[in-house]
mmCIF file of all heavy atoms in Angstrom:
data_model
loop_
_atom_site.group_PDB
_atom_site.id
_atom_site.type_symbol
_atom_site.label_atom_id
_atom_site.label_comp_id
_atom_site.label_asym_id
_atom_site.label_seq_id
_atom_site.Cartn_x
_atom_site.Cartn_y
_atom_site.Cartn_z
ATOM 1 N N ASP G 1 0.735 -1.245 0.007
ATOM 2 C CA ASP G 1 -0.025 -0.049 0.033
ATOM 3 C C ASP G 1 0.923 1.197 0.027
ATOM 4 O O ASP G 1 1.568 1.458 1.019
ATOM 5 C CB ASP G 1 -0.875 0.066 1.238
ATOM 6 C CG ASP G 1 -1.924 1.239 1.165
ATOM 7 O OD1 ASP G 1 -2.191 1.616 0.125
ATOM 8 O OD2 ASP G 1 -2.307 1.571 2.270
ATOM 9 N N VAL G 2 0.877 1.945 -1.027
ATOM 10 C CA VAL G 2 1.633 3.134 -1.294
ATOM 11 C C VAL G 2 0.675 4.391 -1.713
ATOM 12 O O VAL G 2 -0.094 4.067 -2.480
ATOM 13 C CB VAL G 2 2.746 2.992 -2.252
ATOM 14 C CG1 VAL G 2 3.692 4.213 -2.295
ATOM 15 C CG2 VAL G 2 3.495 1.791 -1.983
ATOM 16 N N LYS G 3 0.801 5.531 -0.982
ATOM 17 C CA LYS G 3 -0.072 6.560 -1.279
ATOM 18 C C LYS G 3 0.185 7.183 -2.655
ATOM 19 O O LYS G 3 -0.724 7.410 -3.461
ATOM 20 C CB LYS G 3 0.208 7.797 -0.261
ATOM 21 C CG LYS G 3 -0.168 7.327 1.177
ATOM 22 C CD LYS G 3 0.006 8.375 2.157
ATOM 23 C CE LYS G 3 -0.381 8.052 3.559
ATOM 24 N NZ LYS G 3 -0.009 9.052 4.643
ATOM 25 N N ASP G 4 1.489 7.286 -3.184
ATOM 26 C CA ASP G 4 1.781 7.809 -4.424
ATOM 27 C C ASP G 4 1.582 6.685 -5.389
ATOM 28 O O ASP G 4 2.133 5.615 -5.316
ATOM 29 C CB ASP G 4 3.217 8.147 -4.436
ATOM 30 C CG ASP G 4 3.811 8.533 -5.872
ATOM 31 O OD1 ASP G 4 2.960 8.586 -6.737
ATOM 32 O OD2 ASP G 4 5.053 8.613 -6.101
ATOM 33 N N LYS G 5 0.577 6.812 -6.383
ATOM 34 C CA LYS G 5 0.137 5.823 -7.121
ATOM 35 C C LYS G 5 0.814 5.846 -8.604
ATOM 36 O O LYS G 5 0.267 5.340 -9.526
ATOM 37 C CB LYS G 5 -1.343 5.663 -7.272
ATOM 38 C CG LYS G 5 -2.126 5.380 -5.918
ATOM 39 C CD LYS G 5 -1.758 3.918 -5.511
ATOM 40 C CE LYS G 5 -2.543 3.637 -4.236
ATOM 41 N NZ LYS G 5 -2.148 2.239 -3.716
ATOM 42 N N THR G 6 1.918 6.504 -8.795
ATOM 43 C CA THR G 6 2.546 6.553 -9.983
ATOM 44 C C THR G 6 3.830 5.948 -10.146
ATOM 45 O O THR G 6 4.012 5.057 -11.013
ATOM 46 C CB THR G 6 2.848 8.106 -10.410
ATOM 47 O OG1 THR G 6 3.534 8.824 -9.271
ATOM 48 C CG2 THR G 6 1.467 8.784 -10.614
ATOM 49 N N ARG G 7 4.762 6.187 -9.174
ATOM 50 C CA ARG G 7 6.031 5.635 -9.232
ATOM 51 C C ARG G 7 6.393 4.868 -7.971
ATOM 52 O O ARG G 7 6.228 5.370 -6.838
ATOM 53 C CB ARG G 7 7.177 6.634 -9.381
ATOM 54 C CG ARG G 7 8.694 6.108 -9.555
ATOM 55 C CD ARG G 7 9.691 6.962 -9.392
ATOM 56 N NE ARG G 7 9.397 8.201 -10.232
ATOM 57 C CZ ARG G 7 9.967 9.490 -9.938
ATOM 58 N NH1 ARG G 7 10.573 9.642 -8.808
ATOM 59 N NH2 ARG G 7 9.670 10.494 -10.790
ATOM 60 N N ALA G 8 6.805 3.545 -8.093
ATOM 61 C CA ALA G 8 7.038 2.736 -6.866
ATOM 62 C C ALA G 8 8.526 2.240 -6.921
ATOM 63 O O ALA G 8 8.984 1.859 -7.910
ATOM 64 C CB ALA G 8 6.078 1.527 -6.903
ATOM 65 N N PHE G 9 9.136 2.259 -5.694
ATOM 66 C CA PHE G 9 10.357 1.751 -5.434
ATOM 67 C C PHE G 9 10.270 0.321 -4.994
ATOM 68 O O PHE G 9 9.429 -0.032 -4.248
ATOM 69 C CB PHE G 9 11.261 2.526 -4.421
ATOM 70 C CG PHE G 9 11.587 3.928 -4.850
ATOM 71 C CD1 PHE G 9 10.710 4.995 -4.745
ATOM 72 C CD2 PHE G 9 12.844 4.217 -5.451
ATOM 73 C CE1 PHE G 9 11.072 6.199 -5.322
ATOM 74 C CE2 PHE G 9 13.244 5.401 -5.960
ATOM 75 C CZ PHE G 9 12.404 6.442 -5.787
ATOM 76 N N LEU G 10 11.210 -0.554 -5.546
ATOM 77 C CA LEU G 10 11.039 -1.992 -5.407
ATOM 78 C C LEU G 10 12.447 -2.490 -5.229
ATOM 79 O O LEU G 10 13.398 -2.413 -6.020
ATOM 80 C CB LEU G 10 10.442 -2.581 -6.658
ATOM 81 C CG LEU G 10 10.001 -4.137 -6.319
ATOM 82 C CD1 LEU G 10 8.768 -4.462 -7.325
ATOM 83 C CD2 LEU G 10 11.068 -5.091 -6.476
ATOM 84 N N LYS G 11 12.729 -3.010 -3.990
ATOM 85 C CA LYS G 11 14.113 -3.460 -3.580
ATOM 86 C C LYS G 11 14.258 -4.901 -4.148
ATOM 87 O O LYS G 11 13.498 -5.819 -3.806
ATOM 88 C CB LYS G 11 14.362 -3.447 -2.089
ATOM 89 C CG LYS G 11 15.518 -3.768 -1.549
ATOM 90 C CD LYS G 11 15.664 -3.831 -0.060
ATOM 91 C CE LYS G 11 17.077 -4.445 0.497
ATOM 92 N NZ LYS G 11 16.975 -4.693 1.810
ATOM 93 N N ILE G 12 15.254 -5.075 -4.890
ATOM 94 C CA ILE G 12 15.641 -6.337 -5.661
ATOM 95 C C ILE G 12 16.930 -6.978 -4.996
ATOM 96 O O ILE G 12 17.219 -8.112 -5.390
ATOM 97 C CB ILE G 12 15.631 -6.306 -7.103
ATOM 98 C CG1 ILE G 12 16.871 -5.524 -7.601
ATOM 99 C CG2 ILE G 12 14.246 -5.723 -7.567
ATOM 100 C CD1 ILE G 12 17.065 -5.616 -9.048
ATOM 101 N N GLN G 13 17.700 -6.253 -4.225
ATOM 102 C CA GLN G 13 19.082 -6.757 -3.974
ATOM 103 C C GLN G 13 19.605 -6.073 -2.668
ATOM 104 O O GLN G 13 19.053 -4.968 -2.386
ATOM 105 C CB GLN G 13 19.925 -6.371 -5.220
ATOM 106 C CG GLN G 13 21.493 -6.664 -5.103
ATOM 107 C CD GLN G 13 22.223 -5.803 -4.198
ATOM 108 O OE1 GLN G 13 22.046 -4.596 -4.237
ATOM 109 N NE2 GLN G 13 23.316 -6.227 -3.720
ATOM 110 N N GLU G 14 20.356 -6.818 -2.006
ATOM 111 C CA GLU G 14 20.826 -6.295 -0.733
ATOM 112 C C GLU G 14 22.355 -6.578 -0.617
ATOM 113 O O GLU G 14 22.899 -7.482 -1.230
ATOM 114 C CB GLU G 14 20.220 -7.141 0.430
ATOM 115 C CG GLU G 14 20.718 -6.882 1.747
ATOM 116 C CD GLU G 14 20.370 -5.398 2.310
ATOM 117 O OE1 GLU G 14 21.264 -4.537 2.045
ATOM 118 O OE2 GLU G 14 19.423 -5.142 2.964
ATOM 119 N N GLY G 15 23.125 -5.719 0.069
ATOM 120 C CA GLY G 15 24.499 -5.969 0.340
ATOM 121 C C GLY G 15 25.464 -5.498 -0.842
ATOM 122 O O GLY G 15 25.038 -5.143 -1.915
ATOM 123 N N CYS G 16 26.801 -5.461 -0.473
ATOM 124 C CA CYS G 16 27.882 -4.962 -1.382
ATOM 125 C C CYS G 16 29.061 -5.617 -1.149
ATOM 126 O O CYS G 16 29.513 -5.817 0.072
ATOM 127 C CB CYS G 16 27.977 -3.432 -1.300
ATOM 128 S SG CYS G 16 29.138 -2.695 -2.505
ATOM 129 N N ASN G 17 29.802 -6.018 -2.214
ATOM 130 C CA ASN G 17 31.030 -6.715 -2.113
ATOM 131 C C ASN G 17 32.248 -5.867 -2.645
ATOM 132 O O ASN G 17 33.328 -6.263 -2.906
ATOM 133 C CB ASN G 17 31.150 -7.975 -2.930
ATOM 134 C CG ASN G 17 30.264 -9.126 -2.319
ATOM 135 O OD1 ASN G 17 29.707 -8.810 -1.241
ATOM 136 N ND2 ASN G 17 30.086 -10.241 -2.965
ATOM 137 N N GLN G 18 32.018 -4.537 -2.904
ATOM 138 C CA GLN G 18 32.946 -3.597 -3.635
ATOM 139 C C GLN G 18 34.118 -3.189 -2.675
ATOM 140 O O GLN G 18 35.282 -3.047 -3.095
ATOM 141 C CB GLN G 18 32.242 -2.455 -4.209
ATOM 142 C CG GLN G 18 31.215 -2.854 -5.361
ATOM 143 C CD GLN G 18 31.917 -3.540 -6.468
ATOM 144 O OE1 GLN G 18 31.898 -4.728 -6.645
ATOM 145 N NE2 GLN G 18 32.526 -2.722 -7.283
ATOM 146 N N TYR G 19 33.740 -2.845 -1.478
ATOM 147 C CA TYR G 19 34.688 -2.329 -0.516
ATOM 148 C C TYR G 19 35.531 -1.218 -1.043
ATOM 149 O O TYR G 19 36.732 -1.177 -0.930
ATOM 150 C CB TYR G 19 35.644 -3.510 0.029
ATOM 151 C CG TYR G 19 34.962 -4.518 0.798
ATOM 152 C CD1 TYR G 19 34.435 -5.731 0.288
ATOM 153 C CD2 TYR G 19 34.646 -4.314 2.167
ATOM 154 C CE1 TYR G 19 33.718 -6.557 0.867
ATOM 155 C CE2 TYR G 19 34.000 -5.202 2.933
ATOM 156 C CZ TYR G 19 33.510 -6.354 2.339
ATOM 157 O OH TYR G 19 32.828 -7.263 3.032
ATOM 158 N N CYS G 20 34.876 -0.128 -1.367
ATOM 159 C CA CYS G 20 35.576 1.155 -1.667
ATOM 160 C C CYS G 20 36.029 1.644 -0.305
ATOM 161 O O CYS G 20 35.490 1.492 0.662
ATOM 162 C CB CYS G 20 34.607 2.156 -2.261
ATOM 163 S SG CYS G 20 33.766 1.569 -3.783
ATOM 164 N N THR G 21 37.222 2.272 -0.412
ATOM 165 C CA THR G 21 37.991 2.657 0.814
ATOM 166 C C THR G 21 37.281 3.659 1.651
ATOM 167 O O THR G 21 37.599 3.838 2.821
ATOM 168 C CB THR G 21 39.424 3.230 0.500
ATOM 169 O OG1 THR G 21 39.413 4.285 -0.373
ATOM 170 C CG2 THR G 21 40.182 1.962 -0.112
ATOM 171 N N TYR G 22 36.358 4.540 1.101
ATOM 172 C CA TYR G 22 35.594 5.481 1.825
ATOM 173 C C TYR G 22 34.232 4.998 2.422
ATOM 174 O O TYR G 22 33.592 5.791 3.092
ATOM 175 C CB TYR G 22 35.380 6.780 0.899
ATOM 176 C CG TYR G 22 34.736 6.373 -0.399
ATOM 177 C CD1 TYR G 22 33.341 6.214 -0.412
ATOM 178 C CD2 TYR G 22 35.361 6.082 -1.570
ATOM 179 C CE1 TYR G 22 32.586 5.939 -1.580
ATOM 180 C CE2 TYR G 22 34.753 5.883 -2.725
ATOM 181 C CZ TYR G 22 33.375 5.702 -2.733
ATOM 182 O OH TYR G 22 32.613 5.312 -3.901
ATOM 183 N N CYS G 23 33.840 3.818 2.107
ATOM 184 C CA CYS G 23 32.534 3.392 2.272
ATOM 185 C C CYS G 23 32.265 2.369 3.379
ATOM 186 O O CYS G 23 33.060 1.312 3.312
ATOM 187 C CB CYS G 23 31.903 2.916 0.910
ATOM 188 S SG CYS G 23 30.136 2.519 1.109
ATOM 189 N N ILE G 24 31.281 2.624 4.283
ATOM 190 C CA ILE G 24 31.050 1.828 5.472
ATOM 191 C C ILE G 24 29.977 0.700 5.086
ATOM 192 O O ILE G 24 29.682 -0.359 5.790
ATOM 193 C CB ILE G 24 30.550 2.558 6.580
ATOM 194 C CG1 ILE G 24 30.601 1.737 7.974
ATOM 195 C CG2 ILE G 24 29.222 3.210 6.405
ATOM 196 C CD1 ILE G 24 32.076 1.377 8.426
ATOM 197 N N ILE G 25 29.273 0.968 3.967
ATOM 198 C CA ILE G 25 28.211 0.133 3.593
ATOM 199 C C ILE G 25 28.346 -1.377 3.607
ATOM 200 O O ILE G 25 27.522 -2.172 4.022
ATOM 201 C CB ILE G 25 27.400 0.648 2.336
ATOM 202 C CG1 ILE G 25 26.897 2.059 2.556
ATOM 203 C CG2 ILE G 25 26.320 -0.228 1.903
ATOM 204 C CD1 ILE G 25 25.902 2.215 3.707
ATOM 205 N N PRO G 26 29.435 -1.866 2.929
ATOM 206 C CA PRO G 26 29.621 -3.314 3.022
ATOM 207 C C PRO G 26 29.724 -3.889 4.294
ATOM 208 O O PRO G 26 29.290 -5.054 4.568
ATOM 209 C CB PRO G 26 30.974 -3.610 2.334
ATOM 210 C CG PRO G 26 31.051 -2.363 1.413
ATOM 211 C CD PRO G 26 30.419 -1.188 2.170
ATOM 212 N N TYR G 27 30.183 -3.257 5.298
ATOM 213 C CA TYR G 27 30.156 -3.575 6.782
ATOM 214 C C TYR G 27 28.770 -3.488 7.449
ATOM 215 O O TYR G 27 28.451 -4.260 8.427
ATOM 216 C CB TYR G 27 31.219 -2.872 7.510
ATOM 217 C CG TYR G 27 32.498 -2.676 6.880
ATOM 218 C CD1 TYR G 27 32.868 -1.641 6.050
ATOM 219 C CD2 TYR G 27 33.480 -3.793 7.004
ATOM 220 C CE1 TYR G 27 34.095 -1.534 5.436
ATOM 221 C CE2 TYR G 27 34.658 -3.691 6.365
ATOM 222 C CZ TYR G 27 35.063 -2.551 5.625
ATOM 223 O OH TYR G 27 36.199 -2.537 4.954
ATOM 224 N N ALA G 28 27.952 -2.612 6.860
ATOM 225 C CA ALA G 28 26.644 -2.328 7.495
ATOM 226 C C ALA G 28 25.599 -3.236 6.825
ATOM 227 O O ALA G 28 24.586 -3.613 7.399
ATOM 228 C CB ALA G 28 26.259 -0.884 7.250
ATOM 229 N N ARG G 29 25.781 -3.494 5.544
ATOM 230 C CA ARG G 29 24.766 -4.373 4.846
ATOM 231 C C ARG G 29 25.138 -5.791 4.448
ATOM 232 O O ARG G 29 24.410 -6.558 4.022
ATOM 233 C CB ARG G 29 24.471 -3.601 3.565
ATOM 234 C CG ARG G 29 23.693 -2.285 3.667
ATOM 235 C CD ARG G 29 22.239 -2.555 3.893
ATOM 236 N NE ARG G 29 21.486 -1.348 4.056
ATOM 237 C CZ ARG G 29 20.178 -1.270 4.089
ATOM 238 N NH1 ARG G 29 19.478 -2.293 3.989
ATOM 239 N NH2 ARG G 29 19.518 -0.149 4.291
ATOM 240 N N GLY G 30 26.538 -6.030 4.709
ATOM 241 C CA GLY G 30 26.953 -7.502 4.439
ATOM 242 C C GLY G 30 27.122 -7.820 2.936
ATOM 243 O O GLY G 30 27.123 -6.947 2.152
ATOM 244 N N PRO G 31 27.257 -9.021 2.587
ATOM 245 C CA PRO G 31 27.743 -9.516 1.350
ATOM 246 C C PRO G 31 26.332 -9.398 0.468
ATOM 247 O O PRO G 31 25.130 -9.340 0.980
ATOM 248 C CB PRO G 31 27.999 -10.978 1.417
ATOM 249 C CG PRO G 31 27.388 -11.425 2.697
ATOM 250 C CD PRO G 31 27.360 -10.176 3.644
ATOM 251 N N ILE G 32 26.465 -9.496 -0.909
ATOM 252 C CA ILE G 32 25.340 -9.291 -1.758
ATOM 253 C C ILE G 32 24.396 -10.445 -1.587
ATOM 254 O O ILE G 32 24.753 -11.622 -1.503
ATOM 255 C CB ILE G 32 25.802 -9.283 -3.298
ATOM 256 C CG1 ILE G 32 26.747 -10.433 -3.642
ATOM 257 C CG2 ILE G 32 26.599 -7.970 -3.568
ATOM 258 C CD1 ILE G 32 27.010 -10.473 -5.086
ATOM 259 N N ARG G 33 23.089 -10.178 -1.691
ATOM 260 C CA ARG G 33 21.986 -11.272 -1.621
ATOM 261 C C ARG G 33 20.917 -10.617 -2.641
ATOM 262 O O ARG G 33 20.676 -9.526 -2.488
ATOM 263 C CB ARG G 33 21.402 -11.239 -0.265
ATOM 264 C CG ARG G 33 22.253 -12.049 0.743
ATOM 265 C CD ARG G 33 22.974 -11.112 1.724
ATOM 266 N NE ARG G 33 22.089 -10.437 2.605
ATOM 267 C CZ ARG G 33 22.355 -9.367 3.246
ATOM 268 N NH1 ARG G 33 23.583 -8.728 3.122
ATOM 269 N NH2 ARG G 33 21.602 -8.812 4.133
ATOM 270 N N SER G 34 20.402 -11.553 -3.496
ATOM 271 C CA SER G 34 19.486 -11.142 -4.448
ATOM 272 C C SER G 34 18.124 -11.742 -4.100
ATOM 273 O O SER G 34 18.043 -12.904 -3.699
ATOM 274 C CB SER G 34 20.094 -11.722 -5.810
ATOM 275 O OG SER G 34 21.346 -11.268 -6.045
ATOM 276 N N ARG G 35 17.203 -10.942 -4.463
ATOM 277 C CA ARG G 35 15.736 -11.400 -4.237
ATOM 278 C C ARG G 35 15.320 -12.254 -5.444
ATOM 279 O O ARG G 35 15.867 -12.067 -6.585
ATOM 280 C CB ARG G 35 14.860 -10.185 -4.304
ATOM 281 C CG ARG G 35 13.427 -10.478 -3.798
ATOM 282 C CD ARG G 35 12.676 -9.110 -3.786
ATOM 283 N NE ARG G 35 11.280 -9.359 -3.216
ATOM 284 C CZ ARG G 35 10.403 -8.385 -3.254
ATOM 285 N NH1 ARG G 35 10.664 -7.194 -3.574
ATOM 286 N NH2 ARG G 35 9.140 -8.598 -2.606
ATOM 287 N N GLY G 36 14.481 -13.260 -5.045
ATOM 288 C CA GLY G 36 14.095 -14.175 -6.194
ATOM 289 C C GLY G 36 13.257 -13.528 -7.305
ATOM 290 O O GLY G 36 12.605 -12.636 -7.001
ATOM 291 N N LYS G 37 13.426 -14.123 -8.565
ATOM 292 C CA LYS G 37 12.853 -13.537 -9.684
ATOM 293 C C LYS G 37 11.242 -13.600 -9.479
ATOM 294 O O LYS G 37 10.495 -12.556 -9.735
ATOM 295 C CB LYS G 37 13.142 -14.279 -10.871
ATOM 296 C CG LYS G 37 12.667 -13.718 -12.245
ATOM 297 C CD LYS G 37 12.803 -14.823 -13.375
ATOM 298 C CE LYS G 37 14.313 -14.997 -13.655
ATOM 299 N NZ LYS G 37 14.389 -15.942 -14.810
ATOM 300 N N LEU G 38 10.706 -14.691 -8.999
ATOM 301 C CA LEU G 38 9.314 -14.736 -8.896
ATOM 302 C C LEU G 38 8.771 -13.779 -7.997
ATOM 303 O O LEU G 38 7.722 -13.071 -8.292
ATOM 304 C CB LEU G 38 8.991 -16.144 -8.325
ATOM 305 C CG LEU G 38 7.424 -16.428 -8.026
ATOM 306 C CD1 LEU G 38 6.679 -16.347 -9.400
ATOM 307 C CD2 LEU G 38 7.226 -17.778 -7.368
ATOM 308 N N GLU G 39 9.408 -13.536 -6.804
ATOM 309 C CA GLU G 39 8.966 -12.547 -5.831
ATOM 310 C C GLU G 39 8.934 -11.117 -6.365
ATOM 311 O O GLU G 39 8.089 -10.368 -6.135
ATOM 312 C CB GLU G 39 9.801 -12.461 -4.515
ATOM 313 C CG GLU G 39 9.631 -13.801 -3.664
ATOM 314 C CD GLU G 39 10.272 -15.051 -4.211
ATOM 315 O OE1 GLU G 39 11.072 -14.919 -5.142
ATOM 316 O OE2 GLU G 39 9.915 -16.092 -3.681
#
C-alpha cells in the first residue's frame, strides 16, 4: 500500500562486495544477496 500511485520503489538486492575505501556500507549491509525472480 503506497499513497503515491505513479512511481514505486522496489528493492531487488541487498549488500555490497565492492569495499571502496571511503564506504562503510559493505560492513553495514553485508555481502550481496539477491531477491528471487518470482517474488
